[in-house]
Amino acid sequence: MQIKVEKTALVLIDLQNGILSRNCAPYTAEEIIGRAKALVKAFTEKGGFVVLVRVSTLDGKDMLHPSTDVPATQSIELPEGWDQIVPELAEIPGTYTLTKRQWGAFHGTDLDVQLRRRGIDTIVLGGVSTGIGVDMTAREAFQLGYNQFFAEDVMGAADKEMHDYVRTNIFPRIGRVRSSDDIISYL
């Protein structure tokens, strides 16, 4: 199997200070960051497009607030720097940082435009949380017609069960689930 780097983007979701400071399973934040860094390096060395997606808010009013059974935490204090990409990835030159205001990276952002203008038709996806930001972005990408590879070992969730459910039941229906080492070998 081969991935054409000129037609593929690496999109990493919410690998930022305030997200990775929480519990990650089945992989630790350190494991996810290490593998993400290897993917970013492999892509950038070959001239590939890398998108580091972060979630942020100015005052909370720019985020979604629908009525749900499990309401979002109201008026939480966000520590300084919570929305910054982790330093291990932020320091790598040649990446594009995108800010989103909801779970998915496509809605309300210029991600689709950035990809299409570069002739990209395939996405390698990773990040946290497997069952929230990564899953929503994957479903949006599927609806937009992108081919997808899921770097399963560059993802984490609040618990192993959520990660495993999405990895086993959702991702194989909308793309290909592979390890980061396999994806690097396909480049």
Side-chain angles (χ1 to χ4, degrees):
M1 185 169 289
Q2 185 175 3
I3 294 175
K4 295 179 182 177
V5 73
E6 68 277 3
K7 303 213 34 98
T8 305
L10 173 62
V11 180
L12 297 172
I13 306 296
D14 298 345
L15 298 182
Q16 62 192 68
N17 295 326
I19 304 290
L20 286 173
S21 64
R22 301 175 187 165
N23 185 49
C24 282
Y27 307 107
T28 66
E30 292 77 22
E31 290 171 321
I32 293 167
I33 293 168
R35 291 182 192 122
K37 189 171 181 178
L39 274 174
V40 171
K41 185 176 183 216
F43 266 81
T44 56
E45 284 177 353
K46 295 184 183 305
F49 187 54
V50 176
V51 182
L52 303 175
V53 180
R54 70 187 190 123
V55 63
S56 187
T57 180
L58 174 64
D59 56 9
K61 293 177 182 175
D62 55 355
M63 302 183 97
L64 299 173
H65 299 283
S67 296
T68 60
D69 285 337
V70 180
T73 306
Q74 298 299 319
S75 60
I76 56 173
E77 285 277 328
L78 299 171
E80 182 72 29
W82 76 275
D83 59 350
Q84 298 304 303
I85 300 292
V86 293
E88 298 89 337
L89 300 177
E91 66 193 24
I92 300 173
T95 61
Y96 178 70
T97 300
L98 176 106
T99 301
K100 64 185 177 86
R101 309 282 186 213
Q102 61 281 324
W103 288 3
F106 282 94
H107 181 75
T109 73
D110 70 342
L111 181 56
D112 189 46
V113 170
Q114 292 294 333
L115 299 177
R116 293 195 190 280
R117 287 185 179 170
R118 289 173 169 79
I120 291 169
D121 64 11
T122 302
I123 298 170
V124 173
L125 198 55
V128 175
S129 171
T130 309
I132 299 177
V134 180
D135 183 25
M136 181 66 78
T137 300
R139 290 172 191 239
E140 291 172 335
F142 176 74
Q143 294 283 36
L144 291 167
Y146 289 98
N147 298 308
Q148 297 182 86
F149 286 88
F150 302 102
E152 184 273 335
D153 58 351
V154 184
M155 295 183 197
D159 57 58
K160 184 179 183 313
E161 290 76 24
M162 179 184 279
H163 173 85
D164 287 346
Y165 178 82
V166 176
R167 177 186 52 82
T168 304
N169 296 291
I170 304 300
F171 291 161
R173 294 172 183 229
I174 59 177
R176 295 180 171 137
V177 180
R178 301 292 189 269
S179 72
S180 56
D181 285 342
D182 284 345
I183 291 168
I184 290 170
S185 76
Y186 299 160
L187 295 177

